[in-house]
């Protein structure tokens, strides 16, 4: 893997956005391995395929790439809202690569992979439709609330220009695989409770610590009016999957798998 991108690939394009897309996607196809099966290279998909950029020739996993010159903020701009929502419960929903690069040097600074099962309807933010005077009047895009994805779902591949061990990256992805579920509402609750555990920030915690996030969880799941029982249920799920250990009397410990 080489963190240097080929800036010359963008010379035939006038738009900075087009230049960046071609340069970053070519880099990913030439340099990225499959974080699922370990295949040494990924392949580019045909242009304009919705919510997908790359595929693995081995296991046929698909990936979307989002890149940004400099650091991302709390959100990541994505494509059409309806397309994204339709894909959430689809087996072909792509995993996401998130790249921060230095445009002056066209060097990859940071790269993460977010496994597809970390995507929930709660982290997809609907944007306002384009105005009637816009070329695509009425088109509605979306943003990904990057800040609300649990830390376990942001798996570093490159960190501060350092290429991390591919075997360890794949191991981390594999560990999180037990969190996968096709039931989109249950996935939303599981990821939100896991996010809350991250915010507590300590190895040991009490049930009462999680209850402090009741308002946050109620706001994100407004159709559910039994938040406390749901929290306890999701802690049991995380316990069964090995992410937390139940110590008794409302006390828990976050395991190494969760950290």
């Amino acid at each position: 893997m080489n963190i240097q991108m080929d800036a010359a690939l963008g010379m035939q394009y006038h738009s900075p956005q087009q230049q960046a897309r071609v340069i970053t996607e070519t880099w990913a196809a030439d340099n990225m391995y499959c974080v699922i099966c370990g295949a040494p290279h990924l392949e580019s998909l045909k242009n304009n395929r919705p919510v997908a950029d790359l595929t693995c020739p081995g296991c046929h996993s698909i990936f979307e790439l989002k890149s940004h010159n400099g650091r991302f903020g709390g959100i990541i701009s994505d494509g059409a809202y309806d397309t994204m929502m339709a894909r959430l419960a689809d087996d072909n929903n792509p995993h996401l690569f998130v790249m921060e690069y230095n445009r002056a040097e066209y060097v990859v600074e940071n790269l993460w992979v977010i496994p597809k099962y970390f995507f929930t309807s709660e982290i997809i933010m609907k944007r306002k439709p384009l105005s009637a005077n816009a070329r695509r009047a009425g088109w509605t895009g979306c943003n990904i609330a990057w800040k609300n994805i649990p830390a376990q779902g942001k798996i570093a591949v490159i960190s501060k220009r350092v290429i991390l061990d591919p075997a360890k990256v794949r191991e981390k992805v594999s560990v999180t695989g037990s969190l996968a579920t096709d039931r989109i509402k249950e996935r939303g609750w599981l990821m939100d409770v896991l996010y809350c555990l991250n915010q507590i920030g300590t190895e040991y915690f009490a049930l009462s610590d999680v209850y402090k996030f009741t308002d946050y969880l109620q706001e994100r799941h407004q159709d559910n009016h039994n938040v406390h029982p749901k929290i306890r249920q999701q802690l049991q799920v995380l316990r069964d999957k090995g992410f937390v250990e139940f110590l008794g009397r409302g006390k828990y410990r976050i395991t190494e798998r969760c950290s």
Side-chain angles (χ1 to χ4, degrees), residues 196 199-200 209-218 231:
C196 293
Q199 301 312 298
I200 293 172
D209 295 322
V210 194
Y211 283 169
K212 293 176 183 178
F213 295 89
T214 297
D215 290 344
Y216 170 82
L217 293 168
Q218 182 68 81
I231 288 173

Side-chain angles (χ1 to χ4, degrees), residues 12 19 23 34-35 49 58 82 88 92 95 112 119 121 141 175 185 207 210 212 227 238 250 254 259:
Q12 59 183 309
Q19 292 173 355
I23 292 168
C34 180
V35 297
R49 177 166 177 175
D82 288 342
L88 280 181
N92 290 323
H95 307 282
W112 298 267
F119 284 89
S121 56
V175 164
K185 285 190 176 181
L207 184 59
V210 194
K212 293 176 183 178
V227 175
L238 290 169
I254 294 178
S259 59

Side-chain angles (χ1 to χ4, degrees), residues 45-65:
L45 288 167
K46 293 180 180 179
N47 289 341
N48 299 320
R49 177 166 177 175
V51 204
D53 298 310
L54 302 155
T55 185
C56 172
C59 66
H60 306 295
S61 296
I62 58 175
F63 301 86
E64 183 184 9
L65 173 66

Side-chain angles (χ1 to χ4, degrees), residues 63-171:
F63 301 86
E64 183 184 9
L65 173 66
K66 288 296 176 185
S67 59
H68 190 266
N69 175 30
R71 298 192 64 180
F72 278 103
I75 62 174
I76 296 173
S77 179
D78 206 88
Y81 175 80
D82 288 342
T83 300
M84 173 61 83
M85 295 304 291
R87 294 295 295 272
L88 280 181
D90 193 324
D91 287 341
N92 290 323
N93 188 41
H95 307 282
L96 179 65
F97 285 122
V98 177
M99 175 198 291
E100 295 176 343
Y101 66 94
N102 181 308
R103 186 179 178 86
E105 303 175 64
Y106 264 114
V107 170
V108 182
E109 298 276 4
N110 299 293
L111 180 70
W112 298 267
V113 61
I114 303 173
K116 62 183 181 181
Y117 36 85
F118 280 89
F119 284 89
T120 69
S121 56
E122 288 77 23
I123 69 165
I124 305 303
M125 305 165 60
K126 189 175 185 178
R127 299 205 299 264
K128 291 182 178 180
L130 296 182
S131 70
N133 297 324
R135 183 171 59 86
R136 293 189 293 169
W139 183 87
T140 304
C142 67
N143 294 322
I144 300 170
W146 159 257
K147 62 184 179 180
N148 292 123
I149 297 174
Q152 293 76 16
K154 302 172 183 177
I155 300 171
V157 178
I158 297 172
S159 180
K160 297 179 180 178
R161 302 193 180 191
V162 175
I163 301 167
L164 304 182
D165 183 351
K168 292 183 179 180
V169 172
R170 286 179 56 209
E171 180 181 1

